[in-house]
Amino acid sequence: MTKKILILGGGTGGVVSALRLSEKINHYGIDAEITLINKDEWHYMPPLWMDVAIEGMPIEETRAPIKGLEKYGVNVVIGPAADIDLANRKVKMEDGKELDYDYLIIALGTRNGWEAYPGLAEAGYHNYDPDAAQEMYKALKQFKAGKLVVLAPEIPYRCGIYPMEVATYLGHYYHTRGMKVDIHVITPYMPNGFTTVQALGPDIGRLWLKYFKKYNIKFTPHKGLKAIDPKAKRIEFVDGSTTTYDFLIKVPPMRLPKILDKPELVFEQDKRFTKVRALDFRHPEYKEVFLIGSHAMPPTGLADAGVFIHSAAVRATGFLLDDLAGVGEIEDFPPVTCVAYVGDKGFMGVCEVEYQNGMYVWNKCYNAMESGLMKLVKRSFYQGWLDRLRLP
Ligand SMILES: Cc1cc2nc3c(=O)[nH]c(=O)nc-3n(C[C@H](O)[C@H](O)[C@H](O)COP(=O)(O)OP(=O)(O)OC[C@H]3O[C@@H](n4cnc5c(N)ncnc54)[C@H](O)[C@@H]3O)c2cc1C
């Protein structure tokens, strides 16, 4: 009988899984069908929301129709999923429809948990969703002088380099326009005592510091956020220290989407995430269920970034195909490569990833190239990615 593979979520994890599985299923002639559920009609590329917020990139350039997957033989269902019944292998949609499965891949991202700190929801701007990115663009256009703070309340957060990337990008923005804006980056210490500037090792740390110096960006690690007073534009930390801002860019705390917030799925040691077995990204008890979204990365030792999720999806689908038909290759976790902005340029960072004692370790990172070209590479890579779903 035809095996049913159901994918929940049409972001990075869901789309990589769908494309990878459809390619192998067609190649090997496997009797299986793939269905992907996404809550709306768009596949977004979130890194481009920074271009929306700073440069005014039209939102259309950050997305592609998720139905574009149908040309690769993937069935697409549009609408929010409401519940996952792991025991009976069913997903219930908000409109009441039910879909059953033999294999389930969950890649639902995380939600922006602004409620985690008093005042955070009301204060400042962000580009962690498309509407907010457009709002931030309008507000930044009006902001021509003063103190701009980039604040990450806690770790981990989506895309670990984001505060440094947006700060240096804005450093260039204000520098070229000759505007007197003082940029401050305020991020938490990591559990090992390192700062987020050091998170990708000394080589990439040096790169951030070079651009901080160039644009006179101040960097302050903190020991925990307590609250924000949006009226007074004041940030309060758990150690009693405070600071003020004229313009705040905030990074959202990662929280589980409601559908994942149930005992069978929650990671007990840290309820912001889902449980997962790092080796193969399977659910520890339900072996036919794979978890590869942002919500499943920290429990494996990996960070939340599309580049880690891409490799996790390739590895997990390898295990799935091996179960399903005994075909294909299970890939080792490759070195992860990402392209990001730094000031007026871009850089390519590489992190080697090793699987050790049931977790991934990825702290050997280096800067492979820093150049104006890398900025173009970042933009063209993302547009090429989206074109796979856009083009007829
Ligand atoms: C501003 C920003 C900048 C970033 N920059 C980088 C970068 O430079 N490099 C990098 O590698 N990573 C970056 N990231 C991180 C990267 O975007 C994420 O790691 C990645 O998108 C997570 O993939 P995912 O599949 O878990 O979730 P997402 O890509 O968030 O996708 C989740 C999908 O699930 C759907 N969904 C949610 N709930 C439901 C439901 N109930 N029913 C049906 N569908 C649902 C959503 O519509 C969405 O399509 C950035 C992220 C942000 C927000």
Side-chain angles (χ1 to χ4, degrees):
M1 225 175 44
T2 305
K3 292 287 183 190
K4 293 181 184 172
I5 305 172
L6 189 58
I7 302 175
L8 268 183
T12 309
V15 165
V16 173
S17 301
L19 290 172
R20 177 89 178 168
L21 286 169
S22 77
E23 183 197 324
K24 298 289 178 192
I25 283 170
N26 290 334
H27 179 80
Y28 290 107
I30 301 167
D31 187 13
E33 61 174 35
I34 311 166
T35 302
L36 181 143
I37 301 174
N38 196 50
K39 74 169 181 245
D40 58 32
E41 61 189 296
W42 301 112
H43 167 67
Y44 279 100
M45 186 42 71
L48 291 174
W49 294 338
M50 188 154 66
D51 300 65
V52 173
I54 299 178
E55 306 275 355
M57 176 186 274
I59 216 72
E60 291 70 31
E61 290 180 27
T62 74
R63 68 190 186 190
I66 191 69
K67 285 263 181 193
L69 279 175
E70 289 182 339
K71 63 176 175 278
Y72 300 99
V74 176
N75 306 312
V76 175
V77 175
I78 292 177
D83 191 32
I84 307 170
D85 180 351
L86 293 177
N88 294 300
R89 298 190 180 184
K90 282 186 197 313
V91 168
K92 192 170 181 187
M93 303 292 290
E94 242 177 56
D95 64 10
K97 279 196 203 100
E98 282 187 350
L99 288 94
D100 57 357
Y101 61 81
D102 296 293
Y103 293 95
L104 177 67
I105 296 178
I106 306 178
L108 288 171
T110 50
R111 93 184 154 75
N112 297 337
W114 303 116
E115 74 286 358
Y117 299 89
L120 186 61
E122 300 79 28
Y125 297 90
H126 70 95
N127 61 255
Y128 275 74
D129 76 47
D131 292 340
Q134 294 177 92
E135 286 303 309
M136 181 165 141
Y137 172 69
K138 286 188 214 144
L140 272 176
K141 280 275 151 210
Q142 305 304 316
F143 186 66
K144 300 186 190 311
K147 179 176 172 185
L148 183 152
V149 169
V150 179
L151 173 73
E154 63 180 38
I155 51 167
Y157 49 82
R158 291 181 76 184
C159 190
I161 61 171
Y162 173 80
M164 288 69 78
E165 192 181 16
V166 76
T168 60
Y169 197 167
L170 283 170
H172 163 63
Y173 177 95
Y174 289 115
H175 182 74
T176 48
R177 288 165 175 78
M179 294 176 183
K180 183 81 190 86
V181 171
D182 295 320
I183 301 174
H184 294 239
V185 176
I186 307 179
T187 57
Y189 279 106
M190 307 204 313
N192 60 7
F194 283 14
T195 67
T196 57
V197 165
Q198 299 163 314
L200 297 181
D203 195 30
I204 295 175
R206 198 170 47 83
L207 182 73
W208 294 127
L209 293 178
K210 183 171 87 176
Y211 282 86
F212 281 7
K213 192 168 171 203
K214 177 172 178 183
Y215 301 123
N216 199 20
I217 295 169
K218 313 228 173 17
F219 174 65
T220 316
H222 70 83
K223 293 192 178 125
L225 177 69
K226 189 170 174 200
I228 301 186
D229 180 343
K231 283 213 180 89
K233 297 194 170 179
R234 193 177 61 241
I235 306 170
E236 207 181 316
F237 299 95
V238 288
D239 64 3
S241 61
T242 59
T243 192
T244 54
Y245 61 85
D246 299 307
F247 193 103
L248 176 70
I249 298 178
K250 57 187 181 178
V251 177
M254 297 170 82
R255 293 295 181 270
L256 279 183
K258 193 167 154 271
I259 185 174
L260 299 180
D261 197 358
K262 55 197 299 189
E264 309 91 283
L265 287 164
V266 171
F267 180 52
E268 271 309 305
Q269 292 91 320
D270 188 340
K271 294 190 170 154
R272 296 175 294 174
F273 306 111
T274 52
K275 54 175 87 166
V276 60
R277 188 168 76 171
L279 174 78
D280 46 13
F281 298 92
R282 287 180 207 259
H283 189 286
E285 291 102 44
Y286 296 92
K287 300 286 184 274
E288 68 284 4
V289 177
F290 294 82
L291 297 114
I292 52 155
S294 298
H295 49 80
M297 290 301 106
T300 67
L302 293 168
D304 173 53
V307 290
F308 284 114
I309 286 172
H310 187 157
S311 300
V314 170
R315 188 161 160 84
T317 50
F319 281 100
L320 193 157
L321 287 161
D322 193 47
D323 264 23
L324 178 64
V327 297
E329 195 187 342
I330 296 171
E331 304 220 0
D332 225 345
F333 213 98
V336 162
T337 308
C338 89
V339 190
Y341 298 145
V342 57
D344 57 333
K345 303 197 178 58
F347 78 99
M348 181 187 282
V350 182
C351 290
E352 293 169 12
V353 184
E354 286 169 32
Y355 181 70
Q356 292 172 1
N357 307 320
M359 295 284 277
Y360 295 97
V361 180
W362 53 272
N363 54 4
K364 284 184 206 134
C365 306
Y366 53 92
N367 168 23
M369 189 184 221
E370 172 200 349
S371 109
L373 176 67
M374 283 297 118
K375 196 166 176 174
L376 294 177
V377 169
K378 171 168 168 167
R379 288 191 177 162
S380 42
F381 167 70
Y382 288 134
Q383 292 308 324
W385 175 290
L386 292 168
D387 280 348
R388 285 186 303 178
L389 302 191
R390 284 181 185 140
L391 299 176

